[in-house]
Amino acid sequence: MHLRLHKNATTTPRIRAEIQVSKEPMRVLAQRFGVSVSTIARWKKRASVHDASHTPHRLQTTLTPAQESIVLVLRKSLGLSLDDLLAVVREFIHPTVSRAALHRMLKRHGVSAREALSVDRPRTKPFKAYEPGFVHIDVKYLPQMADETTRRYLFVAIDRATRWVFVRVYASKSATNARRFLKELHKAAAFRIRTILTDNGKEFTDRFITRGERTPTGRHQFDQLCEELGIEHRLTRPKHPQTNGMVERFNGRIADILRTHHFHSGEELEATILRYVWLYNHQLPQKALGHVSPIQAMKQWQRSHPELFNRRVTNQPGHDTISALPLSVLRNTRLDITRLLVSCFHQTPPRARCPFEGHRGTGSAGPQVPSPCPAPKARQSGGKPRSGAGGCQQILGSCSPLSQSTTRRPPKRVAICTKWCGSVVTSPMRAASCPSGWARMAASTASAASGATTAISLPSLAT
């Protein structure tokens, strides 16, 4: 049996039981068990042999019992979180209560976990499950930038099943731009668009333009294009934006970006929105999609329902699948490409004199010491060394084509050519642009294979 004793206890449950049933005087019992008389008296009064709780009978709380009852009512009726409840209590009940004290009070009354509260909240009705092809469309106003004379409009479309988003920015909210947006959407979407849901704006419908008409007339540009493409055009009920809530929620995301970023021009604003939409489609996992991105969900739908798509979804970023090839094929292919690039771009740097080359003993005509450094041959044009503008010798780095060089020369710019024997020679030079991509990889390969290294020292041009 596991005993739970106080760390300063001087008796055990067996000794306490003997004290309670003994008829001997307390002084005799105290001498026998080596405790004080008050300890013997305490255990004779108790009916249990276990330590009692050390919690104070009256807790030192910040809130009074009346205030605690009010807080409990707020917690149970409204289901407020701890931070929200703390803000309410500090504003209306007690201004100096701490967050820890409020949490201890809720834990003492058994309502610290919100999951245990039965709060009657209105449940939102989820969207009906649809296959790809049901698209929500809406228009959002964009703020006017400093370089713009009028405000612009963001046309947004989002697929209900895959959450794939398509946006465009236009100068006006007109039927012509709505028709243009639908054409671009139909061209960009990989799935067949079957149904479109919009509000009753005049850019989408003429439902309320004709007097006495409650249905579209069919003469609107947007409705005519929908009929040509075989798309069903549905309209939301007036004053019920929650029907088109999926696209309204994405408009809220755009509003968060506009509120938390500062834009200097309309072009920068449009580029930021388009970049966010790309990240939303390709990188951001959605809980409603099983924690995958919209493009990944679209590919899953295509594998299970290929008849719903016009073309294969290929704009899915991910890991390269080239690793599935044999390792020998990859190694040979990379070596062949590297050798080809080295032969095309490699330029041999000019020769730097080695101190051991042509060296003779001091004051004697002894034999010449052979240089351990191989003398590289400098590439010449017309029998003369190639030189840069202004009479300064041009030193090209590895894999720097002559056509990519520039005539800009910072002050006191020098090239240091070091060889494995330790020779260092400096000379003026002019800048050559740095290659990129395969040329850079070829340069690294050639530099590792050669015995010499060319380094460039640049002074600071900061003012």
Side-chain angles (χ1 to χ4, degrees):
M1 180 179 178
H2 181 67
L3 298 179
R4 298 184 59 183
L5 297 176
H6 191 271
K7 61 180 180 179
N8 296 328
T10 57
T11 56
T12 63
R14 185 182 61 82
I15 297 176
R16 297 167 187 174
E18 294 181 5
I19 293 174
Q20 292 175 357
V21 299
S22 177
K23 301 298 183 180
E24 298 178 355
M26 292 187 293
R27 188 176 299 276
V28 177
L29 295 176
Q31 293 178 355
R32 181 187 303 173
F33 297 112
V35 295
S36 62
V37 178
S38 58
T39 301
I40 301 296
R42 184 189 314 120
W43 287 110
K44 277 188 170 293
K45 295 179 181 178
R46 295 185 182 181
S48 175
V49 294
H50 299 288
D51 290 328
S53 175
H54 290 73
T55 304
H57 296 287
R58 185 180 181 279
L59 299 179
Q60 301 294 330
T61 58
T62 306
L63 301 177
T64 63
Q67 292 174 340
E68 290 185 357
S69 61
I70 297 175
V71 174
L72 293 176
V73 171
L74 294 175
R75 176 73 167 182
K76 295 178 180 179
S77 60
L78 302 180
L80 298 177
S81 63
L82 180 60
D83 294 325
D84 295 339
L85 188 61
L86 178 62
V88 173
V89 171
R90 285 180 176 177
E91 182 70 22
F92 301 102
I93 299 178
H94 200 289
T96 61
V97 64
S98 64
R99 190 177 187 271
L102 185 61
H103 173 70
R104 289 194 298 268
M105 189 273 294
L106 296 177
K107 189 175 182 179
R108 188 168 64 252
H109 291 278
V111 291
S112 60
R114 297 178 63 187
E115 293 77 7
L117 302 177
S118 57
V119 181
D120 297 333
R121 298 179 180 177
R123 295 194 176 186
T124 57
K125 186 178 180 180
F127 284 100
K128 184 180 178 180
Y130 279 86
E131 296 177 344
F134 194 103
V135 181
H136 299 251
I137 297 181
D138 194 19
V139 181
K140 178 175 178 56
Y141 295 89
L142 294 179
Q144 181 178 343
M145 297 290 102
D147 62 337
E148 297 176 345
T149 57
T150 58
R151 66 189 311 175
R152 294 189 297 173
Y153 302 86
L154 179 68
F155 283 72
V156 183
I158 180 171
D159 180 64
R160 177 176 291 188
T162 62
R163 301 313 198 263
W164 177 76
V165 176
F166 181 79
V167 298
R168 284 294 181 268
V169 178
Y170 297 124
S172 62
K173 188 177 65 171
S174 61
T176 304
N177 286 333
R179 179 185 176 93
R180 175 185 173 188
F181 176 73
L182 181 56
K183 285 184 178 180
E184 296 184 6
L185 172 63
H186 184 267
K187 183 179 179 180
F191 49 82
R192 296 187 179 93
I193 302 177
R194 298 174 290 99
T195 307
I196 286 178
L197 180 63
T198 65
D199 55 16
N200 298 275
K202 62 180 181 179
E203 66 272 13
F204 297 122
T205 182
D206 54 358
R207 176 174 180 175
F208 295 109
I209 296 178
T210 306
R211 186 183 303 273
E213 291 289 340
R214 302 294 295 177
T215 57
T217 61
R219 295 188 296 269
H220 196 273
Q221 298 183 33
F222 193 82
D223 290 331
Q224 291 176 357
L225 182 58
C226 289
E227 186 176 356
E228 294 175 5
L229 299 177
I231 300 175
E232 179 187 2
H233 183 199
R234 296 184 184 180
L235 301 173
T236 61
R237 291 175 56 188
K239 300 181 180 180
H240 284 73
Q242 62 271 19
T243 307
N244 213 14
M246 187 171 293
V247 69
E248 296 289 351
R249 178 64 187 91
F250 186 81
N251 289 344
R253 291 175 176 262
I254 299 297
D256 295 339
I257 296 177
L258 299 178
R259 186 169 51 252
T260 56
H261 291 72
H262 178 71
F263 305 99
H264 299 281
S265 62
E267 182 180 358
E268 182 181 352
L269 170 63
E270 182 176 356
T272 301
I273 294 177
L274 295 179
R275 183 166 59 251
Y276 174 77
V277 170
W278 189 92
L279 292 174
Y280 180 90
N281 288 332
H282 293 80
Q283 303 293 342
L284 298 183
Q286 306 290 328
K287 183 178 179 181
L289 302 177
H291 301 283
V292 298
S293 64
I295 290 294
Q296 292 173 341
M298 191 182 300
K299 292 179 72 68
Q300 293 176 2
W301 273 100
Q302 189 176 30
R303 285 193 292 266
S304 59
H305 299 77
E307 68 279 0
L308 301 177
F309 291 81
N310 295 320
R311 54 184 173 83
R312 188 167 63 93
V313 182
T314 57
N315 56 341
Q316 163 64 28
H319 299 289
D320 295 336
T321 57
I322 193 173
S323 59
L325 297 175
L327 183 60
S328 58
V329 176
L330 293 178
R331 184 183 298 108
N332 296 334
T333 303
R334 183 172 181 179
L335 289 177
D336 294 340
I337 296 176
T338 304
R339 292 167 184 168
L340 178 62
L341 291 174
V342 170
S343 63
C344 293
F345 294 105
H346 181 62
Q347 300 288 343
T348 304
R351 181 182 179 184
R353 182 180 178 184
C354 177
F356 295 99
E357 184 176 358
H359 176 73
R360 295 180 181 273
T362 304
S364 63
Q368 183 177 2
V369 180
S371 172
C373 304
K377 296 182 179 180
R379 177 172 296 184
Q380 298 180 358
S381 176
K384 295 182 179 180
R386 192 188 308 269
S387 60
C392 296
Q393 184 183 7
Q394 180 183 9
I395 300 179
L396 298 178
S398 299
C399 301
S400 296
L402 179 63
S403 59
Q404 295 182 0
S405 62
T406 177
T407 59
R408 180 169 179 245
R409 182 177 60 186
K412 297 181 180 180
R413 188 174 184 177
V414 296
I416 304 174
C417 182
T418 62
K419 291 191 174 184
W420 63 276
C421 60
S423 174
V424 177
V425 176
T426 63
S427 61
M429 66 166 293
R430 67 173 182 174
S433 60
C434 181
S436 61
W438 280 101
R440 183 183 299 146
M441 187 186 71
S444 301
T445 306
S447 177
S450 63
T453 303
T454 300
I456 296 176
S457 174
L458 293 177
S460 176
L461 299 180
T463 58

